[in-house]
Amino acid sequence: LAILRPFCEFDASALATTFACWNSLVPCRVAEMDLDDEDEDDDDVHNEWSLFDMSVNGTGRKLQKGQEDQWECEAHYTAESSESRLRGITNGSVKRCKRKAGSYFDDVPPDRLRATSVDLFLFYSQTYSENHEAVEAVDQIMEEFFNHGGWSRCFDNIYAVEANIPKELDLYIPAAQEELYNWVNGPNRQYEAGFRIIQSGEWGDYDGFYLMEGDSVPVKNYWLDVILGEIDAHKPFAVLGAQYDGDKWDSFYEDIPISLLHHTNGNGIYNT
């Protein structure tokens, strides 16, 4: 898997700061714990509850076939709506379980127990040689990566790549979307270039990539483990992502075209 972290000219100087939380909200378990201390860490893992969607057509996390013996589930459990967070699923279709002793980690085993290789791509929209701030930001992130420890332990390799979009075409002007037909040309061309880079095979043989935009920041620990678990649970797929589920559109919801209303957020996982 490739993690594609795109950035452009106006957010180049802040790129390194977006990685600051990766050591407090670590991508994978191995980033914060020593695998030799299995007894202590194992207790923490087995004290964590997980909710599974037991409905036939539900979209929540499923208890996968062949994994039932790894979990100990409550016979009778009624989920509070604020706790289950499984949209459209009745409480009776939710099962609460704890992982049994000897079954390590929540979704995908990290480090030497994790079979999936993950590489990080710092992806600049223009050309590095023409932006000193972009080079400095990438150098800072790479220096932290090669110091070893923390979030860097969750990734096998790190690369700095570029889309080579001419500056005059690298546009993102939301305020002009009614007047300027190519107001979002920069992100669109960068996405296309990123897809070609991952598919090229020049950097490795990847099954897919996760597009993690610059304003996308972790909100929980072990987010990379969760992503890998979601990929394993939902494959095969072309695109794996989420629709917008906020409330900022409520006042004009009925005026939103279907193409926008049901579109998948760009921060998603793409099969290559």
Side-chain angles (χ1 to χ4, degrees):
L1 181 72
I3 305 294
L4 203 60
R5 187 74 167 177
F7 67 102
C8 60
E9 182 179 21
F10 73 79
D11 60 2
S13 60
L15 179 66
T17 65
T18 66
F19 286 79
C21 65
W22 284 28
N23 279 326
S24 56
L25 295 172
V26 292
C28 65
R29 289 185 182 277
V30 74
E32 75 165 10
M33 70 186 196
D34 184 351
L35 287 178
D36 291 331
D37 297 332
E38 291 179 347
D39 292 340
E40 178 181 350
D41 298 320
D42 192 46
D43 290 339
D44 293 337
V45 171
H46 300 141
N47 286 329
E48 297 177 2
W49 286 104
S50 296
L51 298 180
F52 291 98
D53 169 16
M54 307 305 293
S55 61
V56 175
N57 298 316
T59 59
R61 181 182 179 185
K62 299 289 188 179
L63 187 57
Q64 298 299 311
K65 185 177 181 180
Q67 296 182 355
E68 295 91 344
D69 292 341
Q70 301 175 17
W71 297 87
E72 183 176 353
C73 302
E74 290 185 335
H76 303 286
Y77 172 70
T78 301
E80 297 293 338
S81 58
S82 61
E83 181 182 5
S84 71
R85 304 185 71 177
L86 300 175
R87 188 175 178 182
I89 302 172
T90 62
N91 289 341
S93 300
V94 176
K95 182 176 287 187
R96 189 167 78 155
C97 309
K98 285 184 179 181
R99 192 177 287 274
K100 294 180 180 178
S103 301
Y104 294 105
F105 310 120
D106 280 338
D107 293 285
V108 176
D111 196 53
R112 58 186 169 89
L113 300 179
R114 171 167 60 84
T116 305
S117 175
V118 183
D119 293 340
L120 176 62
F121 286 77
L122 306 175
F123 183 32
Y124 182 45
S125 62
Q126 298 179 25
T127 304
Y128 280 111
S129 62
E130 298 177 359
N131 190 325
H132 181 67
E133 286 187 335
V135 174
E136 282 191 340
V138 166
D139 284 347
Q140 184 178 341
I141 296 167
M142 285 193 164
E143 182 179 358
E144 183 175 0
F145 179 87
F146 288 112
N147 278 338
H148 302 295
W151 63 262
S152 67
R153 297 185 64 192
C154 301
F155 300 91
D156 296 88
N157 301 290
I158 186 171
Y159 303 110
V161 295
E162 55 193 11
N164 292 308
I165 302 171
K167 185 173 183 177
E168 63 273 14
L169 297 179
D170 191 15
L171 304 176
Y172 181 61
I173 316 173
Q177 57 185 289
E178 298 295 335
E179 300 84 22
L180 192 63
Y181 77 95
N182 62 344
W183 66 273
V184 71
N185 188 67
N188 288 343
R189 301 292 78 76
Q190 188 172 12
Y191 169 81
E192 293 175 350
F195 215 110
R196 289 194 294 270
I197 288 171
I198 300 303
Q199 282 189 321
S200 71
E202 180 179 354
W203 307 95
D205 185 15
Y206 300 99
D207 293 324
F209 68 91
Y210 170 45
L211 185 66
M212 188 177 186
E213 296 174 353
D215 58 355
S216 176
V217 295
V219 296
K220 64 182 294 183
N221 279 317
Y222 322 134
W223 52 269
L224 180 58
D225 288 346
V226 171
I227 288 173
L228 294 174
E230 289 295 300
I231 291 173
D232 187 61
H234 291 89
K235 64 183 182 182
F237 57 83
V239 180
L240 179 62
Q243 296 179 3
Y244 177 67
D245 195 29
D247 55 13
K248 291 185 177 180
W249 293 356
D250 288 357
S251 61
F252 52 92
Y253 189 86
E254 295 182 355
D255 299 324
I256 300 175
I258 296 296
S259 58
L260 176 60
L261 192 63
H262 299 297
H263 88 291
T264 301
N265 189 281
N267 290 282
I269 302 158
Y270 300 85
N271 190 330
T272 55

